[in-house]
Amino acid sequence: MPGPVPELLSKTIETLYRLESGRVLATLVRLLGNLDLAEEAMHEAFAAALEFWPQTGIPDKPRPWLISTARFKAIDVIRRRARFDGAQRDLAAHMQSRGNEDEEIEDDRLRLIFTCCHPALPPEGQVALTLREICGLTTEEIARAFLVTPATLAQRIVRAKAKIRETPIPYEVPTPQELPERLDAVLQVVYLVFNEGYSAAAGAEVTRAELTGEAIRLGRLLAELQPEAEVIGLLALMLLQESRRAARTSPAGELVLLADQDRALWNSEQIAEGLALVAKALKSRRFGPYTLQAAIAAVHAEAESAAATDWRRIVALYNQLVRIQPSPVVYLNRAVAIAMCDGPEAGLAHVEAVLEHGGLANYYLAHSARADLYRRLGRTAEARASYERALALTQQGPERQFLQERIRQLK
């Protein structure tokens, strides 16, 4: 029996799992050609790290160590199965002969995302499976993004994995002819990964830089693969939003609203690249919701101050966006823009309409937005009740601290 793992090393391995498990799994699927086997081998490799690294120390390159260890674990599994199955015996021999391949292939995760977003899988399962298995989000984090319960989300993942076992889905980027029908689900996955990094579902941090960075990296790969308007628009949107990351929290980790951010902290290189990409996507006249959202982010990026923001332009862009993507969240964001343009009473009417529709009843930002408009109108009791409802719906530390402070100020 191995001894207890030192706390610092255990935390390092936990961090490594969060940062690298997606890449490790993607490479193992390429090597093994089997998602279930790759997942099992990956978990055994991390277990081996907990057992051996306290004695040997952390390798200089942990990811290749994990991939190599997992590959040999998989070979052992295949050999055990080969006692009863001749095909497994051939597979074990093939795996043994391959040796250590280059673990740094850049698009392993992109290939695996396309596999998980195969049209043979149900649409709701495609995105859920990709976010859980490849991008490392928890079931709770994904459920929050979909506004469903964790139990519902877990069933989607189980069904999608069963379908992959039953259907021989190739591990590859689609051909140019197949790409259009596959692209929408992949873009949705990339943006959901970015959103979880931009506004983490829970924990002590507002953002998770490893997720926003990974989403932007995948966005660049997609833009090289298929440089059409919506792919370019998504990359622009992520860059413009990410440009504000350093200004979104105080040195003490407190949440800083957009209107209060120090714009000198915004990343000028990401803004310049994002603005150029927005202009390119809009010029094509074939754009969709990602490009329109990027255009909205561009209005904020170009404003010298919060007071100089062209809110009428933002409302006009949201009016276009709701015509092609009439989701409750888009209507909520439009309502907030209307409040900034025409005053809190006008915005409140739209927020109330969105909440009455029912789709955002458990979305804390909807209640927080309503609370802020009540506060601006001097309706203290209603503001406090809405802030308390928002507080009950979020598990993110800085968000909770912000809401608690708002409630305290209303007493």
Side-chain angles (χ1 to χ4, degrees):
M1 286 283 293
V5 180
E7 183 179 355
L8 181 59
L9 179 59
S10 179
K11 288 183 177 179
T12 300
I13 294 174
E14 285 178 19
T15 301
L16 191 64
Y17 182 87
R18 191 177 71 248
L19 296 177
E20 298 287 2
S21 61
R23 289 191 180 94
V24 171
L25 180 65
T27 300
L28 288 171
V29 173
R30 171 170 58 84
L31 294 173
L32 302 172
N34 182 301
L35 177 58
D36 286 332
L37 180 59
E39 190 175 13
E40 178 184 348
M42 180 190 72
H43 288 299
E44 288 198 16
F46 275 97
L50 284 169
E51 180 179 353
F52 291 112
W53 290 1
Q55 286 78 42
T56 64
I58 300 174
D60 292 336
K61 294 183 177 181
R63 193 198 313 166
W65 187 98
L66 290 163
I67 291 169
S68 178
T69 301
R71 189 174 69 88
F72 284 111
K73 295 284 187 184
I75 290 171
D76 288 342
V77 170
I78 294 167
R79 281 174 173 160
R80 287 196 297 271
R81 294 175 182 173
R83 296 173 188 172
F84 309 100
D85 186 342
Q88 294 287 324
R89 198 159 43 242
D90 294 340
L91 178 58
H94 173 66
M95 286 299 305
Q96 186 71 46
S97 69
R98 291 181 74 164
N100 286 317
E101 297 192 18
D102 180 12
E103 285 89 10
E104 301 299 326
I105 290 185
E106 187 70 8
D107 60 352
D108 270 349
R109 297 185 84 181
L110 188 61
R111 281 200 294 268
L112 189 49
I113 286 174
F114 271 107
T115 300
C116 290
C117 293
H118 194 278
L121 301 177
E124 69 276 7
Q126 294 175 10
V127 180
L129 179 66
T130 305
L131 293 173
R132 180 69 187 92
E133 300 298 332
I134 292 87
C135 302
L137 274 65
T138 67
T139 302
E140 290 75 16
E141 288 166 347
I142 308 166
R144 172 181 175 268
F146 279 102
L147 303 178
V148 299
T149 66
T152 299
L153 198 285
Q155 282 302 309
R156 292 180 183 179
I157 293 172
V158 168
R159 286 193 292 267
K161 291 184 75 173
K163 187 70 174 177
I164 284 181
R165 284 194 297 272
E166 297 162 3
T167 307
I169 295 175
Y171 173 63
E172 62 189 16
V173 173
T175 65
Q177 293 76 24
E178 297 172 319
L179 199 56
E181 68 175 286
R182 306 279 296 279
L183 199 55
D184 284 349
V186 174
L187 293 179
Q188 185 185 11
V189 165
V190 172
Y191 191 42
L192 284 172
V193 172
F194 179 86
N195 275 337
E196 179 55 36
Y198 184 77
S199 182
E205 304 292 334
V206 172
T207 63
R208 293 173 60 180
E210 74 275 10
L211 290 179
T212 54
E214 178 63 18
I216 289 171
R217 187 187 73 83
L218 291 172
R220 292 190 190 281
L221 286 173
L222 285 168
E224 292 175 12
L225 182 68
Q226 187 81 354
E228 63 177 50
E230 273 296 81
V231 181
I232 294 168
L234 174 58
L235 179 57
L237 172 60
M238 294 189 294
L239 286 167
L240 290 170
Q241 291 181 325
E242 179 69 0
S243 72
R244 303 195 292 265
R245 180 162 61 88
R248 292 182 63 225
T249 53
S250 71
E254 299 164 328
L255 182 67
V256 180
L257 299 182
L258 177 62
D260 301 322
Q261 289 174 13
D262 179 359
R263 298 186 178 217
L265 296 176
W266 290 5
N267 187 311
S268 58
E269 291 184 6
Q270 288 178 326
I271 289 173
E273 184 182 2
L275 292 176
L277 290 169
V278 172
K280 182 177 180 181
L282 288 171
K283 189 177 179 181
S284 74
R285 299 286 179 182
R286 297 190 304 275
F287 55 82
Y290 295 117
T291 301
L292 283 171
Q293 290 176 78
I296 291 166
V299 176
H300 289 294
E302 291 174 317
E304 293 183 1
S305 66
T309 304
D310 187 350
W311 285 104
R312 293 203 178 278
R313 171 67 175 152
I314 290 174
V315 170
L317 288 166
Y318 272 121
N319 288 339
Q320 287 184 268
L321 184 58
V322 296
R323 285 197 288 269
I324 60 175
Q325 191 182 59
S327 75
V329 172
V330 172
Y331 274 108
L332 175 65
N333 291 339
R334 176 175 170 269
V336 172
I338 289 171
M340 297 301 296
C341 189
D342 298 331
E345 192 164 352
L348 182 59
H350 287 274
V351 172
E352 296 282 17
V354 172
L355 283 167
E356 285 174 14
H357 189 267
L360 298 183
N362 294 317
Y363 187 52
Y364 82 96
L365 288 175
H367 296 281
S368 180
R370 179 166 64 177
D372 185 63
L373 296 177
Y374 280 141
R375 180 185 62 83
R376 289 165 60 186
L377 289 167
R379 296 164 63 173
T380 304
E382 291 156 304
R384 185 186 301 114
S386 290
Y387 278 131
E388 288 173 348
R389 176 61 176 152
L391 180 63
L393 290 170
T394 182
Q395 298 302 315
Q396 188 197 87
E399 291 277 9
R400 291 183 61 80
Q401 185 179 354
F402 173 82
L403 293 168
Q404 287 164 346
E405 178 60 21
R406 287 289 198 192
I407 293 168
R408 188 190 65 77
Q409 291 171 358
L410 290 172
K411 290 180 178 178

